[in-house]
Amino acid sequence: IRLLAVCIAIGGAILLAWSLPQWKGTPLPIGVTLAALVPAFTLLAGVFRALFQVQYRMHLVFVAEVGQRVITVVLIGMLLLFGVRESTSILDYELFLIFGGVGALFLFLFSFLYARTLFQCRIQSGGLTMWPFLRAALPYGIAYVCIAVYRQLDVTLIALLLPDFQVQNAYYGFAVRLAEMAYLVPTFLLNATLPRLKGNDDDRQLLIRILCTLLIFGTTVALVAGVWATPIMRLLTSEAYLQTGSNAGADSALRLLALPMFFNSLILFSFYVLLSRDAWRPLLGVLCVGVLVSLGGNILLIPQYGFVGAGITSIGTHALLCILLLPLVYRVCGPLFGNCAKRDNGVQ
């Protein structure tokens, strides 16, 4: 299932990149192709991550994920030592993307090799065997697609809607990558605790601890991104990328994405709680609303405000999802900080 999804999603993105007429003759098609290595290997490694969760071997996930980033950062750092920071060479651009793929390949190979020591299986296929799994996985697969769309589609729409998309995405891209790193930590925490959720009232104490941890983390990263946006971007980029007067820069983009970093913790908490209770219908409905709001807001605001419009849309989308998802968690679990009364029947 995962391999089929990767082939369709990644193959479709690569095909779109090479077929867009406005991208012909630019480095973008080859850039998208090389950049696709990261999500492809990461998604395939996710199959083994699920095995580590079931076996309670999340330290292996930590080693694989950290190793991926260390390898990528070391390779990029070595390239920077050769004085390519101000380079405009296409080769350097491609090398940066390849280094990301090398790190993702390590993640996949490490996960694959250690998964073989935990579980031996023979690959088989059959319609009757696979159909129950496909039917059970489909709603949550669509839900994950919705999350990816409202998080990532703004970069693509900037490229499609703006003539100076290279400059706009250069500013916005740094902030988006930092936001993605902030999105990962709640995902790891919730992935580690999901196998312990029983889907009943016994989960209340664990959910309270998880929620408090996520609130502390979300508040911290939002404050750091909002208050120290300029020093962070000055460290990662150059002065040319910073805000000057009325012209927004990479630091402006990071400030805009500070609130989505906070809201994301609450959204993922709600997602996993509803997942543990198999309340996929309201979850999927809310996420589809978020996709529509994100798509509409980006189409309206990006042509007029550039990446600032994308950041404003991201804030609105994440805030709306929190407003809609948290009441669903209340309906399913009752008040977490009071007497928990299960109310699944009203949500299913």
Side-chain angles (χ1 to χ4, degrees), residues 79-273:
L79 186 60
L80 290 174
L81 289 177
F82 287 97
V84 301
R85 181 164 181 164
E86 304 293 337
S87 172
T88 58
S89 171
I90 298 299
L91 177 60
D92 295 331
Y93 159 74
E94 294 173 350
L95 284 175
F96 277 110
L97 296 174
I98 291 172
F99 291 159
V102 171
L105 178 61
F106 167 81
L107 171 67
F108 170 74
L109 292 177
F110 182 93
S111 302
F112 173 72
L113 293 175
Y114 274 92
R116 292 185 61 186
T117 66
L118 299 176
F119 184 73
Q120 298 291 333
C121 69
R122 291 184 299 113
I123 299 177
Q124 296 178 336
S125 62
L128 294 177
T129 304
M130 294 303 297
W131 172 244
F133 295 101
L134 289 170
R135 185 174 57 184
L138 181 61
Y140 298 104
I142 297 174
Y144 275 110
V145 170
C146 291
I147 292 177
V149 169
Y150 75 72
R151 281 185 186 172
Q152 308 288 344
L153 192 62
D154 49 4
V155 176
T156 303
L157 288 175
I158 288 174
L160 293 175
L161 298 174
L162 295 175
D164 61 337
F165 62 88
Q166 298 98 327
V167 176
Q168 294 285 330
N169 272 335
Y171 291 137
Y172 193 56
F174 284 102
V176 169
R177 295 298 169 264
L178 290 175
E180 288 175 353
M181 295 175 65
Y183 295 158
L184 282 177
V185 175
T187 302
F188 290 159
L189 173 63
L190 290 162
N191 278 338
T193 56
L194 181 61
R196 299 180 180 273
L197 296 178
K198 301 179 178 63
N200 54 39
D201 294 344
D202 296 335
D203 296 338
R204 182 165 57 125
Q205 292 302 319
L206 178 58
L207 290 176
I208 291 173
R209 290 196 293 269
I210 295 171
L211 178 59
C212 291
T213 302
L214 291 175
L215 286 173
I216 293 172
F217 172 79
T219 303
T220 302
V221 295
L223 288 174
V224 170
V227 176
W228 291 339
T230 300
I232 291 172
M233 284 304 175
R234 182 176 286 114
L235 178 66
L236 297 176
T237 64
S238 65
E239 292 291 335
Y241 284 86
L242 301 181
Q243 180 178 355
T244 56
S246 60
N247 295 323
D251 50 342
S252 308
L254 185 57
R255 288 191 190 94
L256 286 170
L257 294 181
L259 282 176
M261 292 180 194
F262 171 77
F263 290 137
N264 176 73
S265 298
L266 298 177
I267 292 171
L268 289 181
F269 173 79
S270 303
F271 181 98
Y272 278 84
V273 170

Side-chain angles (χ1 to χ4, degrees), residues 279-347:
W280 62 266
R281 290 181 179 85
L283 171 64
L284 191 56
V286 170
L287 291 178
C288 287
V289 170
V291 169
L292 294 176
V293 171
S294 175
L295 181 62
N298 281 318
I299 291 175
L300 290 174
L301 297 180
I302 285 177
Q304 185 173 359
Y305 300 106
F307 72 83
V308 175
I312 294 172
T313 300
S314 181
I315 294 173
T317 301
H318 282 80
L320 176 64
L321 289 174
C322 282
I323 293 172
L324 296 178
L325 285 173
L326 290 176
L328 292 178
V329 173
Y330 178 85
R331 291 174 60 188
V332 168
C333 298
L336 291 180
F337 296 95
N339 293 324
C340 184
K342 187 174 179 179
R343 307 179 187 182
D344 287 333
N345 294 333
V347 176

